[in-house]
Amino acid sequence: MLILQAERDALLKPLLAVTGIVERRHTLPILSNVLIEKKAGVVSFLATDLEIQITTASPDSLPGEDFRLTTSAKKLQDILRAIPDSTVTLDSQDGGRLVLKAGKSRFNLQTLPADDFPFVAPNGAAESTFSLPQRDLKRLLSQVQFAMAVQDIRYYLNGLLLQTEGDQVRLVSTDGHRLAFAAASHDGDLPKTEVILPRKTILELYKLLQDSDELIQIELLNNQVRFSFGSTVIISKVVDGKFPDYNRVIPLDNDRLFLIERLTFLHALQRAAILANEKFRGVRLVLKNGAMSILCTNSEQEEAEEELEIAYDGGDLEIGFNINYLLDVLTNLPADTLQLAFGDAGRSALFTIPGNSNFKYIVMPMRI
Amino acid sequence: MTASARKIIHVDCDAFYASVEMRDHPEWRDIALAIGGRPETRGVIATCNYLARQYGIHSAMASATALRLCPQLLIVRPDMARYRAASQQIHAIYQAFTERIEPLSLDEAYLDVSGVTLCQGSATRMATAIRTRIREEVGITASAGIAPNKFLAKVASDWNKPDGQFVVRPQDVAAFVAALPVARFFGVGKVTAARLKALGIHHGADLAAADPLLLTQEFGRFGERLHQLAHGIDKREVEPERDRKSVSVEETYARDLPDLAACRAELPELLAQLKSRISRAGEPPLRALVVKVKFADFSQTTVEHAASTLMLDAFGRLLETGYARGQGRAVRLLGLGVRLGNSDARQLEFEWEED
């Protein structure tokens, strides 16, 4: 029985939006599948890994009867990608088979019953709801997501703190060596609430956000967060745990300050990094009044040295860092000029944007 | 150094703690003697003399079990201060022969005597001289193995134990290794030995003839190493300043810990001990945290995770994982440890962890 006829891209685009979270190999075979559902002319796609669930709908209304089925997300995606952009038909056949035809191609696929598909059930009413333009959230995420921990034993660091208070939304990430903070205003007036979003959710959300003025609605539910934007809805579990108090690590008395052009600094570091130790990635910054030297040495005793003129008169300081931690922030900040504030060689450095209290990056030194 | 074969001596004192006790208490020389914890406090045997070994008693055996095997066994508490003093005396004797000494414990060390001209350059005679001086100056006996590498030297020191020595000359290496049962190979315990036997590998000759690819598939990098050892190859140097690779503490409990909560309650105490050990080691940089759990049936498991700071809650989560592997069995011993990292560069951490 013919159940669907559509242009390839009308299916492929929404499918790709949900398949990013599908685990290749899962103990529950149905989790490798995508749920395709047609209701009142709208075809929607849904995938989950039981932590995150993403649904998105095809933009066009399509004729034909309602149906629900699940089939391999990976195979369907590979097929739709491989065939030319043309009309695709889906036939539902006896024995739970799904036949996809396009031009002279024909694929006979297995399905699993849609009723067996595990949903992430929405959990309670929203405690806080607010909206902001997708572009703003995408920008905020770009400023902090790189500092999230990866598979840290402190599981609550493998994610991002989302905090709301009044009309402010704050995002904080840290791996214990550096911390990124970004804040923005939104349309709401909210009580102070905070949740930790899993790393995977953040990476997926970042991928799906458009650089547009269209709003994204964020609802903080009990143990869940729901993001709704365009025709996409992401429901994610939150990480149960206590995120460290970021205020405690923001240095207040770093008095060796100077301004520096972001790209000048970035390019000098990128050059020096070529000879940074492959394992420790150390870089030494040597400050003198009026100048900063950037020094890298690798295990073969090769050396790179860069010198930048800076408007600085705070006296001599030599301090080491993991160069990747500096490159990360310089690559991801949308500002032309940065302020750097140092204490001493054993204390954290603070990176800010002049005249903007909505961004902070704190990085601990490395003893080299 | 030239390409000529190295000369390595492995010296291993015989029943060290027990020997020191018998030296100081002549009345204990002819009775079954063990050094260890008391059976009523779940003690474990650290060492026993050769008379006690005839009853099947061995180190790491529960004291209670040892007493069942030999009811007249005398178990005395260890006196580490005296053992350490004896160890220092022995170390001074080694130093008369070479600077290249790698102590493995209080009573065991590798010496590299390649190029040493004492005793006309004969490592065999140096080993005899060392053992004689240990007997005369320290009052205990030691055994020695002499070989071109550490692996064979260690096997050889066991060959004529106690109070004996054995030489594997470079030209005898191939025949010696070929006849060696796999269980004598460094790192091969009961489980690996059984797996090797299942593959039809019983002796060094079988190992040497085995397909290195198969060994690697079965045992990973260890398989590769076994294959090398079976060809008499062990390039490990005698490392005088042996780098510490880990620091750990453990506790055997007088009563089994019945559940996870009881285990968890012991963590702060263990962590405090671990912290003090680490500070005595000079606060080396950390690479990973390790939790060891030994269950009532003596099976044990370790769980580890990369981390660069000590964290109580992280140890707690490792404990959960380890405890779960016991499927509800009570816990006899808990250990906390850290693996140490390289000290060339050290990334500093934010200080917001609990203390």
Side-chain angles (χ1 to χ4, degrees):
Chain A
M1 184 180 72
L2 180 71
I3 54 173
L4 188 66
Q5 178 167 345
E7 291 308 298
R8 180 193 74 154
D9 281 1
L11 300 180
L12 182 57
K13 280 189 182 143
L15 180 67
L16 289 177
V18 305
T19 50
I21 58 164
V22 176
E23 301 282 355
R24 284 285 169 83
R25 245 166 259 141
H26 206 287
T27 42
L28 276 180
I30 202 164
L31 289 180
S32 312
N33 283 9
V34 57
L35 175 73
I36 309 171
E37 186 169 22
K38 179 147 163 273
K39 223 187 223 166
V42 177
V43 180
S44 62
F45 296 82
L46 185 151
T48 181
D49 66 357
L50 299 180
E51 302 279 311
I52 316 169
Q53 171 177 301
I54 306 186
T55 39
T56 192
S58 173
D60 313 316
S61 181
L62 297 163
E65 289 187 24
D66 292 357
F67 70 89
R68 300 170 79 215
L69 61 85
T70 82
T71 192
S72 163
K74 167 93 172 68
K75 288 172 196 156
L76 185 60
Q77 170 189 317
D78 288 351
I79 290 168
L80 288 175
R81 270 188 173 149
I83 59 177
D85 187 7
S86 63
T87 304
V88 174
T89 64
L90 294 182
D91 271 285
S92 164
Q93 299 200 337
D94 291 346
R97 289 291 177 151
L98 177 69
V99 175
L100 183 154
K101 283 189 246 174
K104 294 193 184 303
S105 306
R106 181 175 182 282
F107 303 87
N108 185 321
L109 294 162
Q110 264 186 356
T111 66
L112 287 169
D115 289 342
D116 295 347
F117 200 80
F119 287 93
V120 176
N123 197 343
E127 293 172 17
S128 288
T129 303
F130 62 97
S131 305
L132 71 170
Q134 290 189 43
R135 174 183 293 134
D136 290 4
L137 184 62
K138 194 172 173 89
R139 180 175 47 80
L140 282 187
L141 288 175
S142 74
Q143 294 173 15
V144 296
Q145 63 166 357
F146 56 84
M148 291 189 288
V150 185
Q151 290 187 330
D152 197 287
I153 188 160
R154 294 159 291 184
Y155 58 98
Y156 45 83
L157 299 186
N158 303 323
L160 193 89
L161 178 75
L162 185 154
Q163 195 181 62
T164 62
E165 188 172 11
D167 67 347
Q168 286 280 301
V169 55
R170 303 183 192 112
L171 301 181
V172 186
S173 63
T174 180
D175 59 7
H177 301 153
R178 44 26 187 302
L179 178 145
F181 168 99
S185 304
H186 55 77
D187 60 353
D189 180 18
L190 300 171
K192 187 168 175 179
T193 317
E194 59 179 49
V195 294
I196 304 170
L197 297 168
R199 179 183 170 84
K200 189 173 174 184
T201 303
I202 294 302
L203 298 181
E204 208 54 41
L205 176 64
Y206 185 72
K207 233 166 48 187
L208 296 177
L209 283 173
Q210 302 289 322
D211 204 5
S212 83
D213 290 327
E214 257 191 82
L215 294 180
I216 174 167
Q217 185 186 56
I218 302 170
E219 297 163 89
L220 309 185
L221 305 117
N222 184 25
N223 296 327
Q224 280 179 354
V225 177
R226 183 156 53 202
F227 301 93
S228 313
F229 53 106
S231 55
T232 302
V233 178
I234 302 178
I235 301 176
S236 168
K237 285 195 179 166
V238 302
V239 178
D240 183 23
K242 178 95 185 73
F243 204 83
D245 179 3
Y246 59 87
N247 283 310
R248 282 182 55 187
V249 303
I250 299 175
L252 302 173
D253 48 0
N254 280 4
D255 52 6
R256 298 168 192 265
L257 310 174
F258 59 93
L259 299 179
I260 193 163
E261 266 189 71
R262 179 178 70 93
L263 287 177
T264 310
F265 191 19
L266 174 62
H267 294 152
L269 282 171
Q270 282 169 335
R271 288 188 295 267
I274 298 167
L275 298 186
N277 183 296
E278 300 76 3
K279 201 162 153 214
F280 305 117
R281 305 298 294 159
V283 62
R284 279 179 294 147
L285 304 183
V286 182
L287 298 182
K288 289 189 169 35
N289 289 347
M292 172 167 65
S293 303
I294 299 167
L295 302 159
C296 281
T297 314
N298 64 15
S299 52
E300 281 100 39
Q301 307 306 319
E302 295 169 307
E303 292 172 12
E305 179 169 359
E306 293 276 339
E307 186 161 323
L308 300 178
E309 281 181 26
I310 51 173
Y312 169 74
D313 57 5
D316 292 358
L317 174 69
E318 180 170 340
I319 185 167
F321 291 101
N322 180 327
I323 199 165
N324 292 352
Y325 295 170
L326 306 186
L327 291 171
D328 278 345
V329 64
L330 294 170
T331 310
N332 286 294
L333 265 198
D336 294 335
T337 307
L338 293 182
Q339 176 174 281
L340 273 54
F342 295 95
D344 60 44
R347 288 194 295 151
S348 60
L350 175 65
F351 289 52
T352 50
I353 302 169
N356 177 348
S357 60
N358 282 336
F359 176 80
K360 290 181 179 66
Y361 184 68
I362 299 117
V363 55
M364 288 298 286
M366 177 185 260
R367 289 196 200 281
I368 302 171
Chain B
M1 211 170 61
T2 61
S4 69
R6 294 184 295 160
K7 294 177 182 174
I8 312 287
I9 305 177
H10 178 254
V11 186
D12 188 9
C13 297
D14 305 318
F16 181 58
Y17 297 177
S19 297
V20 173
E21 294 298 344
M22 292 196 298
R23 174 194 74 183
D24 297 347
H25 301 90
E27 69 276 20
W28 292 348
R29 279 189 189 164
D30 301 314
I31 60 171
L33 171 71
I35 317 304
R38 286 200 307 276
E40 47 292 2
T41 58
R42 314 286 299 254
V44 176
I45 302 296
T47 325
C48 59
N49 66 5
Y50 285 86
L51 198 55
R53 289 184 197 191
Q54 289 174 9
Y55 292 88
I57 296 165
H58 55 76
S59 59
M61 176 181 271
S63 297
T65 313
L67 276 176
R68 268 201 299 281
L69 292 173
C70 175
Q72 71 274 27
L73 179 72
L74 173 65
I75 302 181
V76 300
R77 310 265 302 157
D79 178 358
M80 296 308 292
R82 269 188 298 134
Y83 309 153
R84 230 171 272 135
S87 177
Q88 279 163 10
Q89 267 180 294
I90 295 168
H91 199 83
I93 294 170
Y94 298 154
Q95 275 176 335
F97 291 83
T98 178
E99 293 284 303
R100 280 164 288 166
I101 305 165
E102 178 179 336
L104 298 174
S105 62
L106 286 182
D107 61 327
E108 205 185 333
Y110 288 112
L111 316 183
D112 184 339
V113 295
S114 321
V116 174
T117 52
L118 293 167
C119 306
Q120 283 86 49
S122 159
T124 307
R125 287 175 52 195
M126 283 187 251
T128 309
I130 288 169
R131 290 176 44 242
T132 305
R133 285 188 59 179
I134 292 175
R135 184 168 50 245
E136 289 172 357
E137 297 171 28
V138 188
I140 62 171
T141 61
S143 299
I146 303 101
N149 64 46
K150 284 163 83 170
F151 158 56
L152 292 174
K154 180 150 175 135
V155 173
S157 70
D158 214 27
W159 215 251
N160 284 324
K161 209 169 188 21
D163 199 15
Q165 67 183 47
F166 187 77
V167 190
V168 184
R169 291 176 301 172
Q171 62 268 35
D172 300 335
V173 165
F176 182 78
V177 178
L180 202 60
V182 288
R184 302 292 286 260
F185 277 72
F186 181 76
V188 176
K190 268 190 212 156
V191 176
T192 312
R195 282 172 66 195
L196 284 166
K197 288 208 170 116
L199 294 169
I201 297 172
H202 302 273
H203 293 93
D206 306 327
L207 256 184
D211 179 1
L213 193 66
L214 170 82
L215 290 173
T216 310
Q217 279 166 349
E218 282 290 318
F219 304 102
R221 286 186 64 180
F222 181 57
E224 201 178 313
R225 176 148 173 73
L226 276 178
H227 192 254
Q228 287 212 319
L229 291 179
H231 283 94
I233 301 168
D234 176 16
K235 295 196 171 131
R236 290 175 302 155
E237 296 281 335
V238 172
E239 289 168 36
E241 291 297 320
R242 208 158 77 95
D243 281 340
R244 282 194 87 133
K245 300 222 166 62
S246 62
V247 176
S248 61
V249 296
E250 60 181 50
E251 188 74 49
T252 303
Y253 295 99
R255 285 160 187 275
D256 283 345
L257 304 173
D259 53 26
L260 184 60
C263 294
R264 213 185 269 284
E266 298 294 338
L267 288 185
E269 169 64 27
L270 283 169
L271 182 59
Q273 289 176 24
L274 182 63
K275 276 184 179 162
S276 103
R277 282 275 171 89
I278 291 172
S279 81
R280 261 183 284 152
E283 298 286 348
L286 313 183
R287 190 162 58 77
L289 308 183
V290 188
V291 169
K292 171 173 160 187
V293 185
K294 191 184 254 185
F295 298 100
D297 63 354
F298 282 80
S299 64
Q300 68 172 49
T301 186
T302 57
V303 196
E304 69 175 88
H305 198 290
S308 49
T309 50
L310 289 176
M311 292 167 284
L312 184 62
D313 68 335
F315 278 121
R317 246 166 293 117
L318 294 178
L319 171 66
E320 266 171 43
T321 310
Y323 179 80
R325 291 180 189 164
Q327 298 177 323
R329 271 172 283 180
V331 171
R332 176 185 165 80
L333 171 149
L334 282 180
L336 295 190
V338 290
R339 297 206 187 285
L340 303 181
N342 198 308
S343 51
D344 289 1
R346 183 169 189 177
Q347 174 64 50
L348 303 183
E349 297 258 344
F350 290 131
E351 287 176 4
W352 55 42
E353 302 305 336
E354 80 274 50
D355 270 315

